[in-house]
Every structure is written in C-alpha cells, then in structure tokens.
Amino acid sequence: MEAIAKAIDAINEWFGRLLAPLIAVIALVVLYDIGLRFFSGRPSDWAFDITKMLFGAHFMLLAAYGLRHHAHVEVDVIKRLLSRRKQAALALLGYLIFFVPFIYLLLSYGWSFFMRSFSRGETTYGMVAIPVYPVKAVIVIAAVAILLQAIAVVIRALLELRREETP
C-alpha cells in the first residue's frame, strides 16, 4: 500500500511542478492588459477573461499539490498533542466526515457543469467568445487529482494505525 501512496505522490508532485511555473503566463497576460490600458486607453477584449480562467484553473489544478505538501488549512494545535496513532485516527475521521461529501459534490456537480457547458457550447460574453467548457473540465480533473492525493493520505493513516506502538 505504501507503494501506491508513493506513486500518487509522484504523480501529483510531477503535475504540480509542471503547472506551478505557468503562473508566469498569467502574469504576462495581466501585464499585456495593463500595458494596453496604459498606452491605448482601453483594455483588451480577451485578456481579463483569459486571466480569470487561467488563474482559476491554476489554483484548482494545484490543490492536490498543496495537499501533498500539507499546505492546506489544518488546525493542528490540539493534533500535535496527540500520539501518531491518534493523529492518524483523527485524519481518517476528518476525511470521512468532511472530505468524502466534499469530493462527491465536487465530482458530481463538476461533471454536470462541464457536460452542460460542453453540450451548449458555452462561451464568455463579448466580442471574443472564449469557450468555457475547458475551464469547467478542470473542476473534474482537479477533483480526481485531489481524490488521488486523499487516497495517499488515507493509506498513510491506515499504515500508521497498523504499525505497532513502540514504548
């Protein structure tokens, strides 16, 4: 089971390292829009929409990477006082109570949003009609990546619970 957790970690590590630098692309689009506003007095027709979509996709796709590196919000004031086995049990309980309903909703609603957007050919408003369904597909992709990383966390918690306590 540890090999499965390590494989999931490796996938999310690779995916996160691949996507993290793409924030520079978003910054370039923002700079282009700012420059256009400054020099021509009007914004571009597409840069603001693209920036919102790219930033949302970037944030969502890196959520599993953040979970892998424990960069998520966690109240560990009390957790640090517990033994490793109790911490693992608390993690399992937390994932069961909070994560399972969250990921179910994210996957089911994300898939519905994507399918509706794709079937209708949804685009942004304005002169440059940018397709919206690729960004809504990111919801599903991000949910799968987060689910995989959560499986790795649960595997590690189960392994910790099965480990014999040493005095």
Side-chain angles (χ1 to χ4, degrees), residues 118-135:
F118 183 76
S119 67
R120 294 178 181 173
E122 184 181 8
T123 61
T124 58
Y125 301 108
M127 292 179 64
V128 182
I130 301 166
V132 175
Y133 68 87
V135 175

Side-chain angles (χ1 to χ4, degrees), residues 30-90:
V30 169
L31 287 173
Y32 167 79
D33 196 32
I34 291 169
L36 195 61
R37 285 175 193 246
F38 181 76
F39 292 115
S40 72
R42 66 181 287 280
S44 71
D45 292 328
W46 58 270
F48 184 68
D49 287 336
I50 289 291
T51 302
K52 284 191 306 185
M53 286 190 219
L54 286 176
F55 185 73
H58 191 261
F59 181 81
M60 288 177 13
L61 289 171
L62 287 172
Y65 182 75
L67 182 60
R68 189 230 175 297
H69 287 281
H70 307 287
H72 56 286
V73 175
E74 184 176 68
V75 181
D76 59 344
V77 174
I78 297 172
K79 187 177 173 185
R80 288 182 183 212
L81 300 173
L82 302 174
S83 69
R84 292 180 60 94
R85 288 176 57 94
K86 288 180 182 174
Q87 287 179 11
L90 185 61

Side-chain angles (χ1 to χ4, degrees), residues 102-147:
F102 163 75
I103 202 68
Y104 170 76
L105 291 172
L106 190 61
L107 281 169
S108 61
Y109 281 105
W111 182 255
S112 298
F113 293 155
F114 165 70
M115 287 307 295
R116 187 175 4 167
S117 179
F118 183 76
S119 67
R120 294 178 181 173
E122 184 181 8
T123 61
T124 58
Y125 301 108
M127 292 179 64
V128 182
I130 301 166
V132 175
Y133 68 87
V135 175
K136 291 191 177 179
V138 166
I139 298 169
V140 179
I141 295 166
V144 170
I146 294 167
L147 175 61

